[in-house]
Amino acid sequence: MFKMFKMSLVLASALLLVAPADSRGDSRLRTLNPGVLQVCLYPGFAPFTSKDGKGEWTGWDVSYLDHFAASERLRFQPVEVTRFDGIWTLPAGDVCDVAAAGISDTQDRRAESGARAAWSQHYYRVLRAFLVRSQDAHGLNSIADLRDRTVIVTGNATADSDIQHRLARAGITTTTILTTFNEVDAAREVLDGQSFAYAGGLGSVQHLAAQLGGLAVTWPHCNMLADGSEVDEPFSFVVRSASTGVIAALDRFISDPATPYPGKSAFDPGCSEGSL
């Protein structure tokens, strides 16, 4: 995915050589390590953040932030995080300047990150969906179809809370929910028939279905909150507040039509706008 922006980076570098002192990349950007943008990444959410067969970071979030760093004359430095749960709190703890891994922007997560972190403008929108074996593609269209089934989720990801809220509202208590830290392993368990489904973001399950074969994507839907409302689900980057100037520069980058995000959002007009 780093190759995605290769030509753009060359152009950006050329422009920066002649940029005036008050343009992007000036001394007002202060990061943990001068001249470096340290980014916390979780490797389990392809196509947003993952590693290839050579151990190189790849994904839409990775290439996008690498491009952003280059536009600000910063060196992109990944900081690997082994668990997704709580990655949004790490910038506030001075572990990195930015956290990125397809992080849904929710009230609870904003509260957990606290005043020492800022959440960027939204750069992507996602729907919830399930991954099942191809022969089960027509057998999962509502939460009722998960009675007496086993479903895998990434712990404390939005897929986890969405399914928990739906089961509770429907009064279903016979569904077994397993957690994973590796989406590919979870998808293989579904493919092997050990579990009925893997719940994730639409972009992620589509990627897994194409990667492994024999799997189908089913029931794209809005994210359900505890009160039963079904809401739009936007992604944000989480930025260390003490990394002066980074959040403002990143918001400009996100809003600039000349630097579009590489992935296509999934949006359902039936999803209401969640309050933050």
Side-chain angles (χ1 to χ4, degrees):
M1 287 288 182
F2 278 112
K3 295 179 181 178
M4 187 182 302
F5 284 119
K6 186 174 181 181
M7 292 184 67
S8 297
L9 290 173
V10 171
L11 177 59
S13 297
L15 291 172
L16 288 168
L17 289 175
V18 297
D22 61 349
S23 67
R24 287 185 179 183
D26 64 28
S27 60
R28 288 177 294 180
L29 267 68
R30 301 175 62 182
T31 55
L32 276 164
N33 186 2
V36 178
L37 185 73
Q38 294 179 271
V39 181
C40 286
L41 299 171
Y42 169 70
F45 273 158
F48 302 96
T49 55
S50 62
K51 285 186 170 183
D52 62 20
K54 297 181 180 179
E56 298 290 331
W57 284 99
T58 184
W60 295 340
D61 279 11
V62 178
S63 59
Y64 191 63
L65 289 176
D66 182 52
H67 189 198
F68 165 68
S71 74
E72 297 293 343
R73 292 182 286 185
L74 298 171
R75 178 170 61 84
F76 179 86
Q77 180 177 309
V79 177
E80 184 167 352
V81 176
T82 57
R83 295 169 63 100
F84 175 76
D85 186 9
I87 190 174
W88 48 88
T89 67
L90 299 182
D94 297 333
V95 176
C96 51
D97 298 294
V98 181
I103 302 171
S104 298
D105 185 355
T106 69
Q107 287 182 316
D108 288 346
R109 290 177 179 177
R110 285 190 176 226
E112 288 176 21
S113 63
R116 297 189 63 196
W119 290 66
S120 76
Q121 289 188 20
H122 299 149
Y123 65 91
Y124 183 86
R125 280 174 163 76
V126 68
L127 293 174
R128 299 287 102 215
F130 289 88
L131 191 67
V132 298
R133 292 182 299 175
S134 296
Q135 59 264 43
D136 296 326
H138 300 293
L140 178 51
N141 300 293
S142 73
I143 197 66
D145 295 323
L146 293 179
R147 292 182 188 273
D148 304 314
R149 303 284 196 178
T150 297
V151 183
I152 308 173
V153 299
T154 297
N156 206 21
T158 318
D160 188 4
S161 60
D162 171 69
I163 193 171
Q164 298 275 9
H165 295 153
R166 289 179 182 277
L167 290 171
R169 301 280 300 182
I172 297 172
T173 60
T174 58
T175 301
T176 300
I177 301 176
L178 305 177
T179 57
T180 185
F181 299 112
N182 188 309
E183 281 196 318
V184 175
D185 286 348
R188 286 181 175 142
E189 286 191 29
V190 173
L191 189 59
D192 293 342
Q194 298 177 55
S195 295
F196 178 64
Y198 171 69
L202 182 59
S204 293
V205 296
Q206 287 174 330
H207 178 83
L208 289 165
Q211 178 183 357
L212 298 178
L215 295 165
V217 177
T218 187
W219 190 26
H221 58 275
C222 310
N223 177 37
M224 180 174 280
L225 303 182
D227 63 3
S229 58
E230 298 190 62
V231 299
D232 180 31
E233 188 177 345
F235 285 0
S236 289
F237 300 114
V238 187
V239 181
R240 174 177 173 264
S241 296
S243 295
T244 309
V246 173
I247 186 65
L250 183 53
D251 281 345
R252 288 196 302 269
F253 188 82
I254 292 169
S255 63
D256 189 346
T259 53
Y261 186 72
K264 184 178 180 181
S265 289
F267 180 73
D268 183 340
C271 304
S272 62
E273 184 176 345
S275 60
L276 295 174

